[in-house]
Amino acid sequence: MYVYLCVALFKIFGYHLSLVRLPAVLFSFFNLIFGILTALKIFPQNKTLPLFIGGLTVICPYFIMASRLGLDCNLMLGMSTIFLYCFIRAIESGQIRKYILAGLTGGLVLYTYSLSYIVLPVFLVLAVIYLIRVKEFSLKGWFSMAIPMGILAFPLILVQIVTIFDLAQFRLGCFTITKLESNRAAELGRFSYEGLSEVFDIIFVGDVLNYNTAPGYKNLYGLTIVLFFLGADIILRNFWISIRDKKPDFQAFPLLWLVSMLFLGAMTAVSVNRMNGIFYSIIFIAATGLSGLCRIFKKHSIMVIALVSVIYLLSFGKFANYYYGGSYTEKNFMLLLFDIPVTEATDFIEQDSVLCQKKTQMAEQGIYYLLEKPKSPYELDMREIESELKYENYMFGTLGTIEDQYNYIVVETFDEYSEKLRATGFIEERYERYSLFYKK
């Protein structure tokens, strides 16, 4: 989905870095708006809880950082929140057109991140079981939801079939049914309780990837951990009462989405961006915890809300001063997985009749060259880069033995290698954060 949105934006406005980030910004707003609407649908009489959810979405480090980064998988959060809202509306109303809309939004979730191929089916199975138990299941409605969801899923299913059974890729209308290098399902392992505990650590504390988690700051601030576990106790009790009394409770659906995400996390390697789809359920449950806290201290509920608000605002103030105040910078926290463009060096090489005949080595992956030299996917086989680490005269992912017949593109942090090149008589062209070394 992120790629398709960028393609449309580039077609209309031309390429600009801001357009790469725009889908992330838009979907952060979708998560905010539909997160509040979902809470209002579940708790129509409680205005504090939706406002609290909206507030956390605005001030928590995870949501701020994810909305400023053009990372394709992060769209799963906003799209899954839209789906939850449409799904709950369909169940509440029983209207076929709303089931169809839920099917469309659910199918679009599959285009945000391949790991949703596991999460969405698990959620739907759990939801069916729950709705049958509480006597709210509509076969006609679910059939209506399944049709658009199945149509949208069909090309993705074909991609999996082509990949798993090693078939040739082919065109289906405007889509290419691509044969992938690997099957994402192969990443799944056995269910692990250790993995489950790691998921909670990843969610509440963070990971080592500094585009996911600002060093020294928890993703959702420390107070959210307390409120979440208090809210989880409340929601699980309500879920049990709902099943026991056979009465539907829409709180069940954020809970079931959370369980589906936890199931995924317990079976695969996790990081904050991989688990991005869980964050709405987390803050929804934390908001339920605040609501429960207000009931416990009913006579002082305003003071509770005020105290919680002050703690969060102080936490946000500290983070904002760090993040926006100049401490979190490219110099201090270089995003190594999003490496430097090498346009100047490649232009220099390709404009020189001698250098362009030589092979050029660089430690970075081939994608960084291709971002600067766009190629049609019908002219380029990306698997060639992944398996042989080369494209035309460029060799990626390696800086081997120094030899005169090669050019070398070297980032400034590789000081020792650069010194060897200089000592061997290579000419150096300096650029921002990297150098080109060559001999004629």
Side-chain angles (χ1 to χ4, degrees), residues 295-344:
R295 285 197 297 271
I296 294 171
F297 300 99
K298 190 172 183 180
K299 293 182 179 179
H300 307 287
S301 60
I302 294 177
M303 291 182 63
V304 170
I305 294 171
L307 179 61
V308 167
S309 299
V310 167
I311 292 172
Y312 272 111
L313 288 173
L314 288 173
S315 300
F316 171 64
K318 183 181 177 183
F319 172 75
N321 181 59
Y322 159 81
Y323 189 71
Y324 296 108
S327 298
Y328 190 89
T329 64
E330 183 181 43
K331 182 177 180 181
N332 291 337
F333 298 101
M334 190 190 310
L335 303 183
L336 296 178
L337 295 183
F338 301 87
D339 223 320
I340 57 175
V342 292
T343 314
E344 299 96 338

Side-chain angles (χ1 to χ4, degrees), residues 375-439:
K375 307 288 182 182
S376 165
Y378 302 106
E379 299 172 4
L380 173 73
D381 187 348
M382 282 296 293
R383 287 171 293 168
E384 179 182 347
I385 292 176
E386 297 299 325
S387 59
E388 299 182 17
L389 298 174
K390 66 180 183 180
Y391 178 74
E392 294 179 345
N393 281 342
Y394 291 89
M395 302 171 66
F396 304 103
T398 181
L399 285 173
T401 305
I402 295 174
E403 300 181 34
D404 291 354
Q405 67 265 32
Y406 291 111
N407 307 313
Y408 297 89
I409 296 175
V410 186
V411 296
E412 63 183 15
T413 51
F414 288 13
D415 294 331
E416 186 176 342
Y417 197 88
S418 296
E419 285 300 324
K420 289 181 180 178
L421 287 165
R422 295 183 189 109
T424 315
F426 276 79
I427 302 169
E428 180 179 6
E429 291 287 335
R430 286 182 176 270
Y431 304 104
E432 185 178 1
R433 292 171 50 197
Y434 75 100
S435 293
L436 165 67
F437 292 91
Y438 65 90
K439 278 187 178 181

